[in-house]
């Protein structure tokens, strides 16, 4: 909607107060008149919901996709403003919250709308707040129903997330705690909501209106297909039943399906020319960008969460313009895909949920099917479910045999793959006809919950007991939540975070709470990244003078971020491949290799240090007990190896997961900017942060642009929908690269230090084998020929029997690199250091552990840059 339309709602509120007043009838008449004038005349079910909301009732809106739930939510928030209450809009994903924030700013004006997520808090005192369900739930736990917004009007979108195993608690807690609030619960797949209606009425004493009998604006037809999918898609496109969304349950399958369609003519020559014109000079990057460009020019789109945002928006835009007949995506419909879909083709009725393969639930099926049919465009939407491949093959063979009974008997029927979860037309009919399953409670108790309730005013023990015994969980003989709460409470007492008031105090203050916190919890201790304060504390454990300080700062921050799993699994595979090669070289047997590989994982720098630090930190900050560290090396590896985004994706073959990698790098950049204090922001740390921001922006600037606009409040202040450029404005740059893109060999100090250590250790390995001729060829120009090496090391062999070259010998503690040596540091008789010279010493691992012998060398940085390798000049061999 336009800014002009949004401003009209503000004016409408003013006119309402000046004229008719804010009676329910006046509010309803004003809003519905505005909606009709805006081209959105309410359907009967919307009118019923709006009338109930202005009358003060709770509303459960269980109407089909495309039936206008957003207009009802808008009317609810309008009602909240008109009656002087706070209005909350909650959604499951930060991206959806952000999208709704911009929409509402456009409708109600920037002064009336705020947003609170884990990343940003913009205008948090506004009368309309957009937030994730977790934000509202934690606020409800902290304040209870007696908070400042106890009479708020709460719109909970996508309420079917109530049944999500990990996050469902956040949709339940506000219903339990905000007994003075008015609720609008919305979803197209709620199923039987009688429990919620009864429970809300009991807790609040307010009537609950269920609106669930709306007719779908665009009715759906359902079919079960045994036709080969390419033939089916061609028929749909040629009979004007597109755009078609082809649903898969893995990103890989979606891309492979799209690629298979390039062998058939999905689009005419004219349509392909229109796509090419629409693409114009859009810049596709390497990797998946090359694949997507080719697909789009064939009239086929791909849309899934692993793609870069600018690629997803491009596919949406082309589909909205009617240029793509087929879009292949995943069952999430591309995480809120915003495209007009005429027909949905479901390729399977089974999915792998992370633990096992299973049939779709009725809710999942109807969530997918509901995207078919475009209001205002189509008179009907189609949902077509494909039979399993073996059934299609059998049908094809039977069709080829025709009516010849002899040929039909000879056909060897294919069967479902062994162990596979199969589906049939009966499975399809069951899902088609079934209502969504009843939503099940996912209530659970955490340290954060207990601490939040203990911090609220009033009697926290009574409030906690009520929360644990009067929730949506089924009654049991023994309450596991009470037991869990007692465990947490004991840990809090042990940590000294809570205490019992002395008996004397209790006698003097009868009726007052006897359990109290001994610390002042930060107001937002559970609302933002919970381990960020720990990261800030952990930075104090690092040595600012250590050469790897900047990299260690990065590793601390990375350990607090969510894992980009496709990348970490790829790193693990690479690490296992290297380990197998090393073990084969050592002659280990197969069984022994396989056993040792169980312990090989992706790089986890500082894991031991941070793990021990977190144990200590939990003693005084027990709420972090609900969270785990995730040590990893993504940004660190990119810095050490001077890699671009494209090189990282290429090395680990992550073309289908570019979006996942980019989101991780964006989160890392945000965290580095927000968490690292000035005291730890050395020149090199600042350089890494700046480089990472530039790199992310060069790949796809939208994620950063939106965050920075929100963080600055710029978008809200402007009162307009933010628009972000889809085209990168810069080329990717490696860390340490000059303006011409070239990375001087010594510019990346971390990688160069490794090269120096390797060069010195090469001398140790040769010395251990007494390979003096090779040593002489290496260092003869520096005056260390074979004879000199042999004569000098005779002194070592007179003292020791062997020279270690194992892991202990490679320890960083046996290497000392001075990047700023003086004349006094250099052994007598050796050349004096120049402007760009390091002094390095590799200490020998001797049998006695004396660690007195070693190799000392000057490192010529200019020569190293010219040679592209570490140029070292041995100046001394012997004891210190």
């Amino acid at each position: 909607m336009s800014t002009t339309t949004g401003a009209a709602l503000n004016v409408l509120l003013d006119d309402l107060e000046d004229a008719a007043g804010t009676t329910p009838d006046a509010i309803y008449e004003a809003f519905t008149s505005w909606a009709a004038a805006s081209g959105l005349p309410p359907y009967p079910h919307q009118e019923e919901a709006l009338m109930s909301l202005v009358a003060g009732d709770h509303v459960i809106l269980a109407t089909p996709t495309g039936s206008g739930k957003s207009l009802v939510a808008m009317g609810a928030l309008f009602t909240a403003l008109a009656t002087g209450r706070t209005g909350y809009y909650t959604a499951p994903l930060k991206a959806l919250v952000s999208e709704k924030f911009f929409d509402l700013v456009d409708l109600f004006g920037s002064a009336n709308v705020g947003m609170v997520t884990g990343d940003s808090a913009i205008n948090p005192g506004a009368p309309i707040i957009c937030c994730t369900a977790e934000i509202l739930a934690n606020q409800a736990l902290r304040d209870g129903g007696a908070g400042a917004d106890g009479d708020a009007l709460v719109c909970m979108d996508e309420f079917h997330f109530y049944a999500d195993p990990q996050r469902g608690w956040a949709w339940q807690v506000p219903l339990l705690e905000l007994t003075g609030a008015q609720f609008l619960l919305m979803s197209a797949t709620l199923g039987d909501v009688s429990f919620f209606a009864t429970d809300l009425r009991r807790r609040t004493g307010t009537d609950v209106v269920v609106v669930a009998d709306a007719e779908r604006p665009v009715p759906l037809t359902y079919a079960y297909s045994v036709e080969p999918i390419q033939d089916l898609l061609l028929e749909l496109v040629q009979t004007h039943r597109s755009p078609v969304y082809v649903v898969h349950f893995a990103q890989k399958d979606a891309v492979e399906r799209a690629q298979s369609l390039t062998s058939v003519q999905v689009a005419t020559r004219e349509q392909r020319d229109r796509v090419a014109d629409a693409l114009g000079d859009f810049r596709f990057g390497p990797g998946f960008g090359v694949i997507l460009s080719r697909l789009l020019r064939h009239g086929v789109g791909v849309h899934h969460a692993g793609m870069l945002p600018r690629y997803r928006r491009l596919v949406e835009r082309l589909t909205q313009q009617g240029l793509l007949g087929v879009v292949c995506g995943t069952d999430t419909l591309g995480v809120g895909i915003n495209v007009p879909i005429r027909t949905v083709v479901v390729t399977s009725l089974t999915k792998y949920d992370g633990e096992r393969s299973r049939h779709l639930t009725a809710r999942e099926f109807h969530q997918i099917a509901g995207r078919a049919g475009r209001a205002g465009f189509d008179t009907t939407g189609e949902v077509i479910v494909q039979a399993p491949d073996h059934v299609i093959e059998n049908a094809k063979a039977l069709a080829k045999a025709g009516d010849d009974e002899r040929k039909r008997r000879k056909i060897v029927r294919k069967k479902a793959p062994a162990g596979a979860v199969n589906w049939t037309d009966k499975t399809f009919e069951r899902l088609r006809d079934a209502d969504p399953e009843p939503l099940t409670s996912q209530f659970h108790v955490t340290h954060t919950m207990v601490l939040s309730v203990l911090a609220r005013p009033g009697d926290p023990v009574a409030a906690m007991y009520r929360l644990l015994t009067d929730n949506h969980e089924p009654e049991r003989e023994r309450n596991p939540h009470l037991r869990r709460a007692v465990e947490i409470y004991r840990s809090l007492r042990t940590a000294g975070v809570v205490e019992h008031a002395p008996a004397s105090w209790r006698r003097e203050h009868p009726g007052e709470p006897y359990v109290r916190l001994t610390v002042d919890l930060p107001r937002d201790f559970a609302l933002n990244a919970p381990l960020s304060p720990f990261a800030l504390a952990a930075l104090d454990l690092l040595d600012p003078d250590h050469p790897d300080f900047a990299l260690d700062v990065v590793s601390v921050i990375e350990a607090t971020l969510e894992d980009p799993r496709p990348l970490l699994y790829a790193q693990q595979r690479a690490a296992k491949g290297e380990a197998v090669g090393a073990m084969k070289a050592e002659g280990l047997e197969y069984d022994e290799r396989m056993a040792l590989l169980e312990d090989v994982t992706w790089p986890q720098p500082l894991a031991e240090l941070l793990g021990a630090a977190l144990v200590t930190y939990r003693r005084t900050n027990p709420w972090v007990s609900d969270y785990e560290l995730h040590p990893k090396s993504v940004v660190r590896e990119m810095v050490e190896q001077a890699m671009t985004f494209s090189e990282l994706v290429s090395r680990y073959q992550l073309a289908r997961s570019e979006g996942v990698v980019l989101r991780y790098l964006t989160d890392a950049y945000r965290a580095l900017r927000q968490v690292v204090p000035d005291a730890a922001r050395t020149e090199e740390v600042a350089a890494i942060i700046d480089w990472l921001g530039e790199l992310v922006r060069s790949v796809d600037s939208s994620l950063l642009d939106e965050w920075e606009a929100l963080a600055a409040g710029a978008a809200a202040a402007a009162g307009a929908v933010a628009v972000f450029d889809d085209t990168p404005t810069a080329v990717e740059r490696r860390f340490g690269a000059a303006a011409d893109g070239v990375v001087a060999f010594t510019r990346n100090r971390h990688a160069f230090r490794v090269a120096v250590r390797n060069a010195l250790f090469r001398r140790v390995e040769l010395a251990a084998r007494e390979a003096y001729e090779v040593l002489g060829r290496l260092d003869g120009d520096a005056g260390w020929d074979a004879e000199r090496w042999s004569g000098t090391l005779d002194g070592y062999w007179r003292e020791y029997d062997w020279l270690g070259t194992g892991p202990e010998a490679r320890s960083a503690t046996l290497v000392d690199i001075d990047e700023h040596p003086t004349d006094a540091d250099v052994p007598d008789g050796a050349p004096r250091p120049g402007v760009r010279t390091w002094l390095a010493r590799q200490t020998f691992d001797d049998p006695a552990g004396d660690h007195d012998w070693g190799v000392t060398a000057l490192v010529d940085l200019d020569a190293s840059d010219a040679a592209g390798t570490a140029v070292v000049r041995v100046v001394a061999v012997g004891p210190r």
Side-chain angles (χ1 to χ4, degrees):
M1 296 185 181
S2 67
T3 304
T4 304
T5 304
L9 268 180
N10 292 341
V11 174
L12 183 62
L13 284 167
D14 295 336
D15 293 344
L16 189 62
E17 294 180 359
D18 295 339
T22 54
T23 64
D25 288 343
I27 295 171
Y28 174 80
E29 181 61 32
F31 183 78
T32 53
S33 297
W34 172 86
S38 301
L40 300 168
Y43 296 118
H45 69 272
Q46 291 174 311
E47 293 178 337
E48 179 186 0
L50 289 167
M51 283 190 287
S52 301
L53 287 167
V54 298
D57 296 333
H58 304 296
V59 173
I60 300 177
L61 190 59
T63 55
T65 301
S67 60
K69 288 185 284 294
S70 294
L71 182 67
V72 176
M74 193 190 311
L77 297 173
F78 178 82
T79 300
L81 261 65
T83 53
R85 292 180 289 164
T86 300
Y88 284 94
Y89 172 87
T90 73
L93 303 175
K94 286 187 285 187
L96 296 179
V97 171
S98 175
E99 179 182 330
K100 184 59 68 172
F101 167 74
F102 287 121
D103 288 345
L104 294 178
V105 164
D106 190 38
L107 287 164
F108 291 98
S110 60
N112 287 324
V113 185
M115 181 175 75
V116 182
T117 69
D119 293 333
S120 309
I122 298 169
N123 198 17
I128 295 176
I129 295 295
C130 300
C131 61
T132 56
E134 283 84 354
I135 296 291
L136 180 62
N138 281 312
Q139 182 172 315
L141 288 169
R142 184 69 177 260
D143 296 333
D149 300 327
D151 63 346
L153 200 158
V154 180
C155 305
M156 303 190 80
D157 204 355
E158 307 293 347
F159 188 72
H160 60 274
F161 267 80
Y162 173 96
D164 183 87
Q166 282 73 46
R167 307 179 60 202
W169 68 272
W171 273 260
Q172 181 174 165
V173 164
L175 303 182
L176 304 179
E177 293 296 315
L178 301 180
T179 54
Q182 182 184 4
F183 287 94
L184 168 61
L185 312 179
M186 305 187 297
S187 174
T189 56
L190 290 180
D192 181 6
V193 295
S194 56
F195 167 82
F196 297 101
T198 301
D199 188 74
L200 262 179
R201 193 176 293 113
R202 174 180 69 84
R203 291 178 188 277
T204 65
T206 301
D207 284 342
V208 180
V209 175
V210 178
V211 180
D213 56 354
E215 288 190 13
R216 204 177 191 279
V218 180
L220 297 180
T221 64
Y222 295 85
Y224 188 74
S225 172
V226 294
E227 195 176 355
I229 192 164
Q230 285 196 354
D231 297 344
L232 171 66
L233 295 176
L234 281 175
E235 178 189 348
L236 292 171
V237 170
Q238 292 168 359
T239 54
H240 308 290
R241 292 142 75 191
S242 59
V244 182
Y245 194 96
V246 190
V247 181
H248 304 79
F249 296 91
Q251 296 173 6
K252 173 179 68 69
D253 295 337
V255 175
E256 289 177 354
R257 178 78 64 196
Q259 290 176 312
S260 72
L261 293 175
T262 59
S263 62
V264 296
Q265 189 172 348
V266 173
T268 65
R269 176 77 264 174
E270 178 188 358
Q271 290 169 329
R272 295 198 298 271
D273 289 343
R274 290 172 58 201
V275 171
D277 291 341
L279 290 176
D281 58 357
F282 185 94
R283 187 166 71 84
F284 291 92
F288 185 72
V290 176
I291 298 173
L292 181 63
S293 176
R294 184 171 64 88
L295 292 174
L296 293 177
R297 296 175 196 279
H298 277 83
V300 180
V302 176
H303 196 296
H304 59 70
M307 294 167 59
L308 297 179
R310 64 190 181 97
Y311 292 159
R312 291 205 308 271
R313 285 194 303 274
L314 175 64
V315 173
E316 292 172 9
R317 189 166 66 241
L318 294 176
T319 311
Q320 288 163 352
Q321 294 171 1
L323 299 178
L324 298 180
V326 178
V327 178
C328 299
T330 55
D331 59 312
T332 59
L333 295 195
V335 188
I337 183 172
N338 182 28
V339 298
I341 298 299
R342 166 64 170 77
T343 303
V344 169
V345 174
V346 185
T347 59
S348 172
L349 292 180
T350 67
K351 67 179 292 186
Y352 181 72
D353 61 9
E355 295 182 0
R356 61 187 178 90
S357 292
R358 59 168 176 78
H359 286 135
L360 299 181
T361 65
R363 171 168 291 104
E364 290 168 335
F365 178 76
H366 288 295
Q367 280 287 128
I368 295 168
R371 298 311 300 255
R374 302 166 295 176
F377 292 90
D378 303 317
T379 57
T380 186
E382 290 187 64
V383 180
I384 302 174
V385 173
Q386 282 291 99
D389 289 340
H390 71 280
V391 174
I392 293 174
E393 288 292 325
N394 291 337
K396 186 176 179 180
L398 287 169
K400 186 176 180 180
D403 296 330
D404 189 328
E405 193 60 34
R406 189 165 57 89
K407 289 182 179 179
R408 294 172 71 91
R409 284 197 302 268
K410 286 184 177 181
I411 295 174
V412 178
R413 301 291 204 278
K414 294 181 182 282
K415 297 181 179 180
V421 179
N422 193 30
W423 74 94
T424 67
D425 55 342
K426 301 301 181 186
T427 313
F428 157 68
E429 292 168 1
R430 175 179 60 80
L431 292 173
R432 178 197 63 193
D433 299 337
D435 291 328
E437 297 82 2
L439 296 173
T440 54
S441 171
Q442 301 296 334
F443 184 86
H444 59 266
V445 184
T446 64
H447 283 77
T448 296
M449 178 181 287
V450 174
L451 280 164
S452 295
V453 174
L454 290 177
R456 73 166 59 169
D459 187 346
V461 175
M464 193 72 220
Y465 183 79
R466 184 173 60 253
L467 180 64
L468 296 174
T469 57
D470 187 16
N471 49 54
H472 293 172
E473 291 285 283
E475 290 188 14
R476 301 177 187 177
E477 185 174 339
R478 300 182 67 186
N479 189 327
H481 301 304
L482 279 173
R483 295 200 302 273
R484 173 62 178 155
V486 169
E487 292 173 5
I488 292 173
Y489 175 72
R490 287 172 177 164
S491 72
L492 297 179
R493 284 201 70 186
T494 301
V497 177
V498 298
E499 65 177 5
H500 280 182
S504 58
W505 185 92
R506 280 186 270 173
R507 285 193 297 270
E508 295 172 6
H509 301 82
E512 291 289 319
Y514 63 90
V515 175
R516 57 195 184 191
L517 291 175
T518 62
V519 297
D520 292 327
L521 294 179
R523 176 70 190 175
D524 59 352
F525 80 101
L527 302 187
N528 296 305
L531 290 179
S532 291
F534 165 74
L536 185 62
L539 292 175
D540 290 337
L541 301 175
L542 306 180
D543 179 5
D545 297 325
H546 193 281
D548 288 339
F549 175 75
L551 290 179
D552 289 344
V553 168
V554 170
S555 292
V556 169
I557 299 302
E558 288 201 86
T560 66
L561 302 177
E562 291 297 317
D563 289 339
R565 293 198 173 275
L567 173 53
L568 298 190
Y569 292 152
Q571 286 181 325
Q572 184 178 43
R573 286 193 296 272
K576 287 189 174 184
E578 293 176 4
V580 166
M583 286 186 278
K584 284 182 177 179
E586 293 178 18
L588 297 183
E589 296 297 328
Y590 175 82
D591 290 342
E592 192 174 0
R593 294 201 304 267
M594 292 302 101
L596 291 172
L597 281 179
E598 292 294 324
D599 298 326
V600 177
T601 183
W602 52 84
Q604 297 185 11
L606 305 187
E608 292 186 10
L609 172 70
L610 294 177
L614 185 61
V615 171
T616 302
Y617 187 79
R618 280 179 177 143
R619 294 171 186 165
T620 52
N621 301 272
W623 55 85
V624 302
S625 297
D626 300 323
Y627 306 95
E628 294 182 359
L629 286 171
H630 298 271
K632 50 191 163 293
S633 180
V634 178
V635 177
R636 181 170 184 146
E637 180 179 352
M638 295 180 74
V639 171
E640 287 182 315
Q641 303 298 326
M643 299 167 67
T644 65
F645 175 85
S646 297
E647 289 167 342
L648 179 73
V649 169
S650 176
R651 172 177 295 186
Y652 292 113
Q653 300 179 9
L654 296 168
R656 286 192 293 265
S657 301
E658 286 179 334
V660 175
V661 178
L662 182 68
R663 279 195 296 275
Y664 174 80
L665 296 179
T666 303
D667 289 343
Y669 171 67
R670 292 172 180 170
L672 285 164
R673 271 191 52 179
Q674 290 178 316
V675 177
V676 178
D678 290 342
R681 200 170 291 221
T682 63
E683 182 178 345
E684 187 171 14
V685 171
I688 291 175
I689 296 173
D690 291 343
W691 162 78
L692 185 57
E694 291 174 7
L695 181 74
V696 169
R697 196 168 279 110
S698 72
V699 176
D700 188 332
S701 66
S702 59
L703 295 174
L704 274 187
D705 288 346
E706 181 175 346
W707 173 68
E708 290 176 347
L710 291 174
V721 175
V723 178
F724 304 109
D725 188 7
D726 283 340
T727 304
T729 57
V731 297
E732 297 177 27
R733 184 174 66 86
R734 301 176 183 84
F735 180 71
D740 60 1
V742 176
V743 182
F745 188 69
T746 62
R747 175 62 181 84
N748 191 325
R749 290 172 57 252
H750 310 288
F752 184 57
R753 288 175 67 88
V754 172
V756 170
R757 289 171 57 182
N758 288 341
L760 290 178
F761 198 75
R762 173 66 172 152
R763 271 76 176 174
V764 175
E765 290 176 319
L766 293 171
R769 302 204 314 265
E770 300 183 56
Y772 302 127
E773 292 296 331
V774 181
L775 284 168
R777 288 196 294 271
L778 279 177
D779 301 308
D781 291 344
W784 283 83
D785 57 16
E787 185 177 351
R788 186 176 181 185
W789 269 104
S790 175
T792 303
L793 287 175
D794 279 346
Y796 179 86
W797 297 121
R798 284 195 295 270
E799 292 186 54
Y800 306 107
D801 295 330
W802 52 262
L803 174 56
T805 58
E808 295 83 1
R810 291 179 176 272
S811 170
T813 60
L814 297 183
V815 182
D816 181 36
I817 299 177
D818 185 351
E819 298 182 11
H820 305 285
T822 65
D823 289 350
D825 298 322
V826 180
D828 291 340
R832 293 297 178 249
V835 176
R836 295 201 356 116
T837 306
W838 290 358
L839 184 67
R841 178 176 175 82
Q842 170 72 58
T843 300
F844 291 170
D845 178 30
D846 58 77
D850 295 332
H851 294 162
D852 51 355
W853 275 73
V855 178
T856 303
L858 287 170
V859 185
D860 189 327
L861 274 66
D862 290 329
S864 298
D865 281 338
T869 187
V871 176
V872 301
R873 180 181 293 272
V874 174
V875 295
V877 178
R880 288 185 182 275

